[in-house]
């Protein structure tokens, strides 16, 4: 089941990104995330971190000294943040985190998707 989930997660994140882009800006911001200032260096890559249901993603980020760019509570339970390679490895190794995926652009290959 772990392999099946790890293959499905990038697809789910891509679909989420496509749906978020299609929403009006005010609806996407109000419904999906709470923007917060970030202090991570600009050269760190942005990642989407998903935490287990029932956990507060902002509290998980705080516990690891991370200031999220966005905290997601509706479509997924997690946060987006600029992370160092060390932070990525630390988060992937903890039991409270389901996944850590590098954020990126999503494109559609046709209208039938």
């Amino acid at each position: 089941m772990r392999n099946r989930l790890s293959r499905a997660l990038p697809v789910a994140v891509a679909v989420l990104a496509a749906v978020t882009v299609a929403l009006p800006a005010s609806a996407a911001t109000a419904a999906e995330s709470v923007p917060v200032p970030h202090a991570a260096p600009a050269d760190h890559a942005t990642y989407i971190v998903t935490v287990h249901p029932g956990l507060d993603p902002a509290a998980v980020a705080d516990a690891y000294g991370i200031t999220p760019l966005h905290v997601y509570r509706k479509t997924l339970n997690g946060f987006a943040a600029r992370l160092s390679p060390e932070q990525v490895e630390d988060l992937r190794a903890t039991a409270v985190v389901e996944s850590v995926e590098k954020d990126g652009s999503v494109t559609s290959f046709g209208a039938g998707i």
Side-chain angles (χ1 to χ4, degrees):
M1 183 160 170
R2 178 81 172 150
N3 288 337
R4 194 173 187 188
L5 179 61
S6 65
R7 282 187 241 134
L9 185 60
V11 174
V13 170
V15 169
L16 170 65
V19 169
T20 302
V21 169
L23 291 173
S26 60
T29 303
E32 294 302 321
S33 65
V34 177
V36 293
H38 60 87
D43 62 335
H44 288 179
T46 303
Y47 289 83
I48 306 293
V49 179
T50 306
V51 301
H52 288 285
L55 297 176
D56 180 9
V60 172
D62 187 53
Y64 284 86
I66 297 167
T67 302
L69 297 169
H70 295 282
V71 175
Y72 302 99
R73 298 182 194 277
K74 298 200 185 274
T75 305
L76 61 89
N77 192 44
F79 60 89
R82 294 188 187 278
L83 302 175
S84 70
E86 294 81 16
Q87 288 171 313
V88 171
E89 291 307 313
D90 288 347
L91 289 168
R92 285 183 174 153
T94 186
V96 300
V97 171
E98 286 185 354
S99 67
V100 180
E101 300 291 333
K102 193 169 187 178
D103 194 8
S105 300
V106 177
T107 57
S108 171
F109 293 107
I113 295 178

